[in-house]
Amino acid sequence: MSQYPEARFIKSADAPSQFVPDTGAEVAFAGRSNAGKSSAINVIVNRRQFARTSKTPGRTRLVNFFSLDGDRRLVDLPGYGFAKVNNKLRNHWAELMADYFESRQSLRGMFLIVDIRRLLTEFDRQMLQFADAVGLPTHILLTKTDKLKRGQAAKALLELRRDLAGAATIQHFSALSRLGETEARAKLDEFLTLSPGG
Ligand SMILES: Nc1nc2c(ncn2[C@@H]2O[C@H](COP(=O)(O)OP(=O)(O)OP(=O)(O)O)[C@@H](O)[C@H]2O)c(=O)[nH]1
Ligand SMILES: [Mg+2]
């Protein structure tokens, strides 16, 4: 059974005026396009295709709000680094993200989804710096761990943890094998119970 039996999709927003009311607490899932954000959400809430996934990068183009229960939410953000989008769409994305991160009082933490085979991209680093600057706690799901041998996966985690130097917490994750689901849920619940401003 889902740990969040009341979880439901609320709405997709393409502009700040469409964001859901900024009350309660929410955690945003950010990361490179195709990194596995929507898949991670589905494992965490334990529902298939709750957030829509796709083999085609750039599937999630809108800010998708989900209710977990009461006034607690998950937000599936559109991925960045999608090569095929034109400049106009890229600028729209950047503006939408800036509006979201700068305005949301209910934002308690960020889950940054990183493909273990690619490690941190320049944009991931920018997101980390931004979160750090606004005091937003960040947790990294090093996903698609199933694609690497155990030793390689362990090495990647150690290197990244050293590289982060405490800027974010980090764990292995796999939407395929469900590795790390309990740890991810515990972190999500921790973020959602934080009071505003940490
Ligand atoms: N093997 C493996 N495949 C995964 C994992 N997580 C996601 N995938 C696959 O990676 C692809 C992209 O996953 P999504 O969850 O749609 O990625 P996303 O980050 O939401 O992508 P956008 O919405 O395009 O930004 C899909 O084909 C997934 O099945 C994982 O842990 N292991
Ligand atoms: Mg997605």
Side-chain angles (χ1 to χ4, degrees):
M1 204 188 92
S2 171
Q3 271 67 14
Y4 306 100
E6 296 166 38
R8 65 184 175 86
F9 171 71
I10 313 175
K11 73 185 293 196
S12 299
D14 194 31
S17 61
Q18 296 163 0
F19 291 169
V20 307
D22 195 8
T23 60
E26 69 191 27
V27 166
F29 281 60
R32 218 183 133 268
S33 186
N34 209 42
K37 296 175 295 299
S38 301
S39 301
I41 290 174
N42 291 336
V43 167
I44 289 168
V45 300
N46 204 11
R47 298 247 201 106
R48 263 169 222 271
Q49 290 296 79
F50 181 66
R52 259 178 282 168
T53 63
S54 168
K55 286 190 168 55
T56 317
R59 181 69 183 83
T60 310
R61 298 214 172 170
L62 304 167
V63 178
N64 294 307
F65 291 91
F66 299 90
S67 168
L68 287 175
D69 46 42
D71 215 357
R72 304 197 306 160
R73 291 178 301 277
L74 279 190
V75 184
D76 190 10
L77 296 172
Y80 43 77
F82 178 38
K84 280 187 194 149
V85 303
N86 57 34
N87 276 338
K88 199 172 156 199
L89 201 59
R90 211 187 309 261
N91 291 341
H92 174 70
W93 176 87
E95 256 178 54
L96 194 59
M97 289 302 95
D99 281 332
Y100 174 79
F101 280 104
E102 284 162 17
S103 75
R104 296 300 280 182
Q105 299 297 317
S106 54
L107 185 59
R108 295 289 183 273
M110 175 170 77
F111 268 40
L112 186 63
I113 314 305
V114 174
D115 186 328
I116 193 165
R117 299 165 302 171
R118 293 172 188 265
L119 294 177
L120 294 185
T121 63
E122 188 50 39
F123 215 107
D124 291 328
R125 290 182 193 278
Q126 284 178 26
M127 292 296 283
L128 283 167
Q129 278 170 13
F130 178 78
D132 189 49
V134 298
L136 188 68
T138 301
H139 185 62
I140 296 180
L141 297 185
L142 209 46
T143 198
K144 307 197 187 184
T145 293
D146 57 274
K147 300 258 195 193
L148 291 187
K149 294 206 175 89
R150 198 180 280 260
Q152 288 175 301
K155 186 164 170 271
L157 180 74
L158 282 177
E159 278 175 11
L160 201 50
R161 191 171 274 149
R162 194 178 313 130
D163 185 11
L164 287 164
T169 50
I170 185 167
Q171 67 161 99
H172 278 141
F173 191 84
S174 167
L176 198 74
S177 71
R178 308 187 69 103
L179 173 79
E181 61 172 324
T182 308
E183 194 179 348
R185 238 176 250 130
K187 188 51 99 171
L188 178 67
D189 287 336
E190 180 195 315
F191 279 176
L192 288 169
T193 52
L194 290 177
S195 51

